[in-house]
Amino acid sequence: MNAPQAAPAASSLQSGSEFSLLDLVNVLLRNRGLVLGLPCLAALVVSSVLLLLPRTYTASASFMPQSPEGGRSRLAGLAAQFGVSVPVADPGQTPAFYADLLTSREILRSIVETKYTFSAGGITRSGTLVELYNTKGKTPDRRREAALRALKGRISVNTETETSVVRFSVRARWPELAELMAQRLLDLVSEFNLKRRQSQAAAERKFVESRLAESRTELRAAQQRLQTFLERNRDFRNSPLLTFDRDRQAQDISTLQSVYTSLAESFENARIDEVRNTPVLTIIESPEQPVLPDSRELVIKGLLALTLAFLVGFAIAFSREVIQKSREESPEDFRRFQALRSQALQDLRRPWQGLGRVLRLHRGKGLAG
């Protein structure tokens, strides 16, 4: 009696078209060097790169914009007297507006072009961000553009809609530089707000000034009409009609006087706001020099690299087993696969040959048709 032959050790997959759980375990065990070695190598490489990269430091700050309610209420009330509706809410004072402002190109350009001087590790450093980070580029414009893109990725902004608080953070290579950059951002936003408020006050002053001149003219004309009426009708009290006309003109003068007084007050307030240089931001959290560096997140990134490398290793191992199974069960299909693979690799090395073959194929089809 012949002894039963042992199953071939080269193939761990069953002869059927479906794979069982045991087949997958055998694939892992047979290719354990690849499935386990590749993730360990990936985790080691990622950890080494993270450890070799320079540490970064993050400085944060928060503020709340102050809306110029007084100026807007005066303008809204003044416009309402002439039948013009002015919205009370100012879209330029919302947290979302300041979030966009902090990462706008104009603000970022000012941050990049500002010259910083600080002492780090006993060494005094001075220069713009392009100089401090030694940004690469063939021309100054390209180096500045590269610094702008890098800076935008180092600024993080969060907003609180309910409280209107804007929080932002700046990441830099040195803690002193991070604090200086965060303070510079606050100064630029405050400067923008100040110029914006002064510009609005100047526009309001011009509008009120022109309307004040018109109101003065109207008031003087009404007063002149009443004076002429009184000169012509010295005994108007004996006539009900003349008395009514006199009372009506006096009421018009009183109304015009109220409008003129309101305009004069608004004009003086606008003149004051135009030259006022008080801050319009409420600083909730001032920038401070960070004491500890940012976390490298070695564990999270290492586990991520480990997982991805394990999946890649398992895919390679499984592909090997499938190819081996096809080689044993369908030698003809495997030879065809080898030929196509060699041809594809050759086309990758010499793409013009593959293109010529495709053109010849289409030309042959055209002649046959």
Side-chain angles (χ1 to χ4, degrees), residues 130-166:
V130 176
E131 298 168 347
L132 292 172
Y133 282 94
N134 194 20
T135 307
K136 304 300 180 182
K138 295 182 179 179
T139 62
D141 292 338
R142 290 188 177 182
R143 289 193 291 270
R144 184 179 60 186
E145 189 67 26
L148 280 172
R149 290 195 299 266
L151 176 61
K152 192 170 185 179
R154 296 188 178 103
I155 296 177
S156 176
V157 184
N158 295 315
T159 59
E160 297 289 342
T161 306
E162 296 181 356
T163 59
S164 299
V165 175
V166 182

